[in-house]
Amino acid sequence: MPRKRRSEMGPSEDDRSTSKRQRNQYQTSRRYVKTDDGFNQKRCINWFREYTTVNDPDTLGPDGMEKFCEDIGVEPENVAMLVLAYKMGAKKMGFFTLNEWLKGLTDIQCDTIEKVQCKLDFLRSLLNDQNTFKFIYRYAYDFARDKDQRSMDIDTAKAMLQLLLFNWPLYQKFAQFLEQSKYKVINKDQWCNILEFSRTISNDLSNYDVDGAWPVLLDEFVEWLRQQTTIDLS
């Protein structure tokens, strides 16, 4: 009976042992890559502490916020920062607590500068969904207002409206109206109704109901804008 060649006899014990070691090394390597590429809470906390002080290691304040924005390449006023704050559930503009930081960055699975940079377009894209936009818009009011006041001061309101409603065709006119108006603050009912107005009232105001339940602020805006239009046509 002729002897079988080694290739016909199947792998030897040594071959099987080598193959097993290679598989184990490959699986270990894959686990390492997955852990390295995935979200790491410890790394996220260490990154957070690069922006805090020894006296208050669990609060990222204005100086740290400026450095954070510089690192990820956006201005503090960039709308992506507002969306990120919304993801964190941040309570106060210019500050992130460690718990808020972990909540938001765990949500978007980011623990490095580069990962957040890759998510900036995603954060901005959330504003394209009407329901999500509404939640962020309402969140912005309590986030940005002075916590010692029930209403938002008019300058802050104008800045936030410019950030959120810059695509509204009547925004520039509304900003002009606010500039010359008697209003020093915007309350939450007015804030919410401004969004509703921008979504439902046509640019020529033809479907605006003077007997509707709009705040006086918006009644006065409509009256002002119609006067402006009459002046422009005369």
Side-chain angles (χ1 to χ4, degrees), residues 152-163:
M152 182 188 289
D153 72 83
I154 197 69
D155 290 333
T156 302
K158 286 187 292 188
M160 296 304 290
L161 288 170
Q162 183 176 19
L163 197 64

Side-chain angles (χ1 to χ4, degrees), residues 46-111:
N46 289 338
W47 181 32
F48 175 81
R49 296 237 158 89
E50 292 179 16
Y51 304 113
T52 63
T53 64
V54 176
N55 293 333
D56 196 358
D58 290 344
T59 303
L60 188 160
D63 291 340
M65 190 70 70
E66 184 176 346
K67 180 65 167 60
F68 171 63
C69 290
E70 180 181 320
D71 284 350
I72 65 173
V74 300
E75 295 294 326
E77 300 80 13
N78 192 293
V79 73
M81 286 298 296
L82 175 62
V83 180
L84 181 58
Y86 165 76
K87 281 286 186 181
M88 293 182 182
K91 299 292 190 296
K92 186 177 181 181
M93 189 162 61
F95 294 83
F96 293 149
T97 66
L98 177 58
N99 287 338
E100 291 167 350
W101 174 273
L102 283 174
K103 177 181 181 295
L105 294 189
T106 300
D107 189 324
I108 61 174
Q109 293 289 283
C110 292
D111 52 19

Side-chain angles (χ1 to χ4, degrees), residues 19-58:
S19 177
K20 185 176 181 180
R21 283 198 303 272
Q22 289 174 338
R23 285 198 303 273
N24 288 340
Q25 289 171 352
Y26 174 68
Q27 289 167 353
T28 300
S29 174
R30 289 195 66 188
R31 285 197 297 270
Y32 174 77
V33 169
K34 184 177 180 180
T35 300
D36 188 59
D37 287 346
F39 178 80
N40 184 296
Q41 186 178 85
K42 183 177 180 181
R43 182 165 55 205
C44 191
I45 293 172
N46 289 338
W47 181 32
F48 175 81
R49 296 237 158 89
E50 292 179 16
Y51 304 113
T52 63
T53 64
V54 176
N55 293 333
D56 196 358
D58 290 344

